[in-house]
Amino acid sequence: SRRLTYNFGHAMYSTHTGNFYEYYPKNSVNCNTAGNCHWDEAQAECADTSKDVLGLVGYLITITSQDEQDVASAKLHGEGWIGSGDLAQEGEWRWLTGPEGCPPYNVAATGAQRSACDLGYPLPATKTPCSGPDCGQGTLIGTGKGAGFQPAAGAFTNWESGEPNEYSKTCPGTCDTTGEDYGHYYGNGEWNDYPNAHTNIEGYVCEWGGVGDLCVNKDDVYGSQVLTSGCGGATNQ
């Protein structure tokens, strides 16, 4: 016999987390005209109604467990934005999107704030660029930088060694003028900080779960069948 697993929609459902995930390369989405993909643009893309999954609104991924880290790493095809930042207070890293961000959200709205803290979009190319009503809000990840970074109590983190470091010299972006206020994955799944306009970003990971109302039972979305040779047919699992 063999087991076939079915899933529908443009996102993968994880039985470990109960949420949906997908990685989007920057060349497959409507990022800015320079061909780059800024953090706020990626969040707006995740939150766009065209990417809704079964009534759920997408957002840049928030990683709160090793299981979720493993799921996200398996989806990566290069460096990608995640839903974290220290936009309001340097060195105070928070989840800014999804249930860990600033709910409840107005899912009938448009733009990034449909599933993220209202940080004042579009985000300006300045240090501590947050100017919206939700500045300083969102679930705390930790404080500090480099070797001095201290995770918040109970928080999961996966920073690369020495990160986040608020690099402020020349980089493929605006590090020297804005610093680094936005979280992203390296291709190996470790986290780092970048400026909004860093050109090394190759895409982003969207997550669906906890924002909006799921319009079907998850058991109807993800299931499997065991197919046995002969005339016995398939058995639902």
Side-chain angles (χ1 to χ4, degrees):
S1 66
R2 60 176 177 166
R3 184 178 297 275
L4 300 179
T5 300
Y6 297 89
N7 193 30
F8 66 88
H10 52 77
M12 179 195 75
Y13 176 68
S14 169
T15 56
H16 294 287
T17 68
N19 289 351
F20 299 82
Y21 303 87
E22 188 56 77
Y23 176 88
Y24 292 93
K26 69 179 182 181
N27 60 2
S28 72
V29 297
N30 182 29
C31 279
N32 67 40
T33 55
N36 298 326
C37 190
H38 295 181
W39 187 95
D40 51 351
E41 293 172 332
Q43 166 55 27
E45 288 287 340
C46 288
D48 191 85
T49 55
S50 67
K51 286 189 171 66
D52 285 2
V53 172
L54 303 172
L56 299 175
V57 180
Y59 49 89
L60 283 175
I61 187 173
T62 59
I63 307 98
T64 58
S65 68
Q66 185 63 56
D67 277 344
E68 195 160 31
Q69 173 66 34
D70 293 342
V71 168
S73 295
K75 301 292 292 181
L76 288 174
H77 300 288
E79 297 191 28
W81 293 121
I82 60 179
S84 62
D86 64 345
L87 284 65
Q89 177 65 43
E90 180 56 45
E92 187 178 277
W93 280 85
R94 295 181 178 274
W95 292 118
L96 304 174
T97 63
E100 291 74 35
C102 302
Y105 300 106
N106 178 9
V107 298
T110 59
Q113 64 268 28
R114 190 168 177 243
S115 57
C117 299
D118 188 346
L119 308 172
Y121 303 101
L123 294 167
T126 60
K127 289 184 179 293
T128 56
C130 191
S131 61
D134 291 333
C135 288
Q137 303 302 306
T139 301
L140 184 65
I141 301 171
T143 57
K145 64 180 183 179
F149 182 84
Q150 294 293 321
F156 174 82
T157 63
N158 195 51
W159 295 103
E160 183 183 59
S161 177
E163 302 294 346
N165 68 349
E166 181 63 7
Y167 188 75
S168 58
K169 298 181 181 179
T170 302
C171 73
T174 57
C175 301
D176 54 343
T177 57
T178 67
E180 300 181 308
D181 295 323
Y182 305 85
H184 80 99
Y185 281 119
Y186 281 125
N188 64 3
E190 292 185 327
W191 307 353
N192 182 41
D193 53 337
Y194 268 171
N196 194 18
H198 204 289
T199 59
N200 281 0
I201 287 292
E202 298 167 273
Y204 55 93
V205 180
C206 294
E207 179 178 1
W208 294 262
V211 180
D213 296 311
L214 188 66
C215 58
V216 297
N217 187 297
K218 289 182 180 178
D219 291 339
D220 296 329
V221 177
Y222 184 97
S224 61
Q225 293 181 324
V226 176
L227 303 182
T228 305
S229 299
C231 302
T235 303
N236 290 324
Q237 301 293 308

